[in-house]
Amino acid sequence: QVQLVESGGGLVQAGGSLRLSCAASGRTFSTYAMAWFRQAPGKEREFVARITWGGSNTYYADSVKGRFTISRDNAKNTVYLRMNSLKPEDTAVYYCAATLRPGVQVTNYDYWGQGTQVTVSS
């Protein structure tokens, strides 16, 4: 069982930066692949970034590649999403999620946080 709590969202101007954090409970955190998803109003939840259990491999949606960086600190049971060069279209609720399975589909993820709002003004 893994419980996830996101933080770090907020309002930022276009071109700005934010760092999201996701704190996990449970002694097995380091065995899970972690990912960030986002959901804008009226849209489906979409994949943003994924990191493998050891942190050696990362994957990104094309829309955020080169601007966002996912990382994790297994000693702190925390995963991060550094977001640079933010755009208004990045506005969404951002969720972290955990899984023991491969892939970036929403349905592959078993544990979810409550989400944190990111709003980018133009």
Side-chain angles (χ1 to χ4, degrees), residues 4 57 90 122:
L4 305 171
N57 292 299
D90 294 318
S122 58

Side-chain angles (χ1 to χ4, degrees), residues 2-102:
V2 177
Q3 293 183 323
L4 305 171
V5 179
E6 301 97 334
S7 62
L11 174 64
V12 64
Q13 288 188 333
S17 298
L18 282 175
R19 188 181 79 159
L20 306 183
S21 299
C22 174
S25 64
R27 290 175 290 179
T28 59
F29 170 77
S30 62
T31 65
Y32 285 82
M34 300 296 296
W36 289 93
F37 291 80
R38 66 186 181 187
Q39 188 166 18
K43 295 188 176 181
E44 293 187 351
R45 193 168 297 188
E46 65 175 5
F47 167 74
V48 175
R50 171 186 165 103
I51 188 167
T52 50
W53 65 271
S56 57
N57 292 299
T58 56
Y59 308 89
Y60 297 92
D62 288 344
S63 59
V64 307
K65 204 170 292 183
R67 300 188 298 122
F68 290 13
T69 303
I70 189 171
S71 61
R72 68 190 295 162
D73 185 338
N74 286 344
K76 295 182 178 180
N77 277 15
T78 302
V79 63
Y80 305 97
L81 185 69
R82 177 68 180 182
M83 306 185 294
N84 295 329
S85 303
L86 282 161
K87 306 174 181 180
E89 51 264 43
D90 294 318
T91 295
V93 177
Y94 283 71
Y95 299 90
C96 70
T99 187
L100 294 174
R101 292 177 279 181

